[in-house]
Amino acid sequence: MKRQIITQIQAVVALLLLVAACSDDATDTWQDAGNGSPLTIQVCSDGFSSSDGCPTRAADIGYTTVFQDGDRLGIVAEQVDGSKQNLCATYNGATQAWEGIYYDSKTTYLSAYFPYQEGLTNQLNNISDADGVLSALKTLMPPLADQGSLAAYRASDLLAGTCTLHTEGGKSLKVALSHAYSLLLLRAGTEYTTPDGSFAYRTPLRDVQVNVDDALACTPFASAEGYRLIVDKSGSPSVAWFYTLPDGKTYKVAGNASLTEGTYHLYNNIISGGNRALAVGDYYYSDGSIYPGDASNPPSEGCIGVVFWVGDKAFQDDPLLQIDHPGCTHGLVAALQDAGKTLWSSDYEDITNNWLKNQGSTYGITTLKETEKMQGYANTKALEGYNASERATGGNSGKTVLPIGLIRSYAGAYPAPASSSGWYFPSVKELKFMCWGQNTNGQSTDGKKKLDEQFGKLTGASSLQSDYSWSSTELGSYRAWLVNFTSGRVSDYRKGSSSYWVRAVLAF
C-alpha cells in the first residue's frame, strides 16, 4: 500500500481562529497559545488492503489517502492527573498543515483518530491506554446505516492509530492511522468503451441497497470506483447487493465476504455494452458514470451535469490540468445549476501583471488574459491563489474574485468524482462553446438550446440563464470577459459594475 506523508508548517494566526472553531472539547489549558509553540503534526494513513488495491476513500487518488481542506483530526491527550481531553486539529488544504494544537509539556498524546467528533471527553476519561481508546471510539462512532452522502460515508470511515511525540528541532507529533472498519465495494452496470478503446464508462445504477448478515438494508455511497459501504464486520459475513439499471431491470449480487479490519471485499457484476462514442448531451453522474444523451428518461438521481464538449481540447490547452488530472482527456461537463450571480470583483486590479507574473510556474500559465485557450482549470487555481494572498496579506478584500467563492460553495454542495477535475470557473473559450455548441463555427446559441433540452429531462436541473455569464478570463485591471447567452455575443465588461451569472464546469 502507498502512504501519504504530510509535513506541516503551522500558521499562528490561523491556529488561533481554528482553536475556537473546532469544538467545546478544546479548553484553554490544553490547546491555547499560552502553553507553548504550535505543535507540528505529521499524518501517515494506510489504505484498505486487497489483491486489486482499492483506494481508501471517495476523494482518494490512486491508492493514497488524501485529506481535504477543513478535515478535522482528533487527538486523545492525557495530563499528569490522568484526565483526558479530546483535542482537534483542522487540515488547511492551502498550506497542507494540520492546525489548532499547541505543545504542552504536561500532556501525553495517547491516540489519534479521524474524523474528529465533539463531546467525547467524558466517555474517554476512564480509559487507560491506546487500545482502550480504539475500543471506545468504535463503540462511540459506529458506521452509519445510510452512507449515501459523501459526509455520511466519511463519518463512517473511522481511522485510528498512534501518536509519537518528537521534541528535537521543534515540537512535532507523528500520527499513524489505519482503518478501524472494513469496506464492501460493488462495481456493476453496463460498461461501454469508446471506439478507439481509450475510455470505458458505466451507466448509472438506481436504488442501490446492501444487506449484511440479513440486517436491515444499508445505503452505500456512489464513488467513481463503485458503490462503497463501511461495515463493522470481520470474518465472513453474508452480503447481498440490490440495484436497478436505468432500463428498470433489478439485479441481486450476493456472497460471503472475507473481512478483517482495514480490508475490503469487491463484488463485480459488469455487463459489456460494446462500443459507443461519447456525445454532447450525455448525462454525467457523481460516481463518474455516463448515460446516453438521447434517452428520453435519464435517471435524475446522482446526475451532476451534461457533457457540452467531447475530446481533449481543454486538456491540451491547460498545462495545470495535465499535471493535476492526467486522466481528464475525454470532455467537459456543464453543471446542472448556476453557482450564483455576482460581480467579478468589487474593486479593480490587473491580476495578471500585478500578481500572476510573480508566481513562476506554480499555475502553469503566465496570463489570465488568454482568450483562445480552454484553460479555465488553471485560471481557477490561479485566482484561488490570488484570493488567498489578498486575505493573508490584509490587502483590499474588494479585489478578491467573487465567482471563485461561488464555485467553491457549489463544489461543496454538489461533489464531483475524484476521476474528474472537480468544478471550476470556465475560461471565456469554454463558456463560449457552452453557449455556441461544439460544432458551431460562429456566434450562436445552439449549445445553450441543446443543454437546456437535456436539463429539461432532469428533476432539479435549471436552464442556462438568458443573460450574461462571467468567465475566468480577464481583459485588464477594470474589465473581464463574459458571454451573452441570449445572443451568443462575446464581450467584456467592468469587473465591479454589474452582477452576472456563474456556471461551473468540469473536465473528465
Side-chain angles (χ1 to χ4, degrees), residues 117 120 132-143 158 181 232:
Q117 183 167 305
L120 300 185
V133 170
L134 175 59
S135 178
L137 288 171
K138 293 183 70 173
T139 299
L140 295 166
M141 301 174 65
L158 174 63
Y181 299 129
D232 184 11

Side-chain angles (χ1 to χ4, degrees), residues 377-458:
Y377 178 83
N379 285 355
T380 301
K381 292 301 180 182
L383 291 173
E384 287 176 347
Y386 169 77
N387 284 356
S389 72
E390 280 292 298
R391 291 189 293 267
T393 58
N396 181 356
S397 60
K399 293 181 180 179
T400 58
V401 180
L402 300 175
I404 295 299
L406 293 182
I407 295 289
R408 187 168 186 176
S409 296
Y410 189 87
Y414 302 96
S419 56
S420 74
S421 65
W423 297 113
Y424 63 83
F425 188 16
S427 67
V428 69
K429 188 162 187 178
E430 288 163 322
L431 196 64
K432 177 173 68 176
F433 283 103
M434 187 191 301
C435 180
W436 289 8
Q438 179 166 356
N439 297 316
T440 304
N441 294 322
Q443 181 176 318
S444 169
T445 58
D446 288 350
K448 170 180 162 51
K449 292 174 183 176
K450 178 63 175 179
L451 287 173
D452 285 348
E453 176 187 347
Q454 301 303 84
F455 293 149
K457 299 177 185 179
L458 298 167

Side-chain angles (χ1 to χ4, degrees), residues 54-82:
C54 173
T56 56
R57 287 171 35 216
D60 289 352
I61 301 169
Y63 305 113
T64 305
T65 300
V66 175
F67 292 102
Q68 299 175 328
D69 188 40
D71 278 351
R72 301 194 299 171
L73 176 76
I75 302 290
V76 180
E78 182 178 71
Q79 282 198 322
V80 290
D81 64 358

Side-chain angles (χ1 to χ4, degrees), residues 45-57:
S45 177
D46 283 346
F48 286 107
S49 62
S50 186
S51 58
D52 60 352
C54 173
T56 56
R57 287 171 35 216

Side-chain angles (χ1 to χ4, degrees), residues 138-200:
K138 293 183 70 173
T139 299
L140 295 166
M141 301 174 65
L144 301 173
D146 185 353
Q147 298 174 28
S149 69
L150 176 61
Y153 172 81
R154 298 186 71 204
S156 300
D157 186 12
L158 174 63
L159 295 160
T162 60
C163 299
T164 305
L165 180 66
H166 295 267
T167 57
E168 66 280 1
K171 308 301 187 295
S172 65
L173 193 67
K174 292 187 177 180
V175 173
L177 299 176
S178 297
H179 292 272
Y181 299 129
S182 304
L183 171 66
L184 299 176
L185 177 67
L186 171 71
R187 292 180 183 152
T190 304
E191 186 169 272
Y192 296 91
T193 304
T194 53
D196 62 2
S198 64
F199 184 53

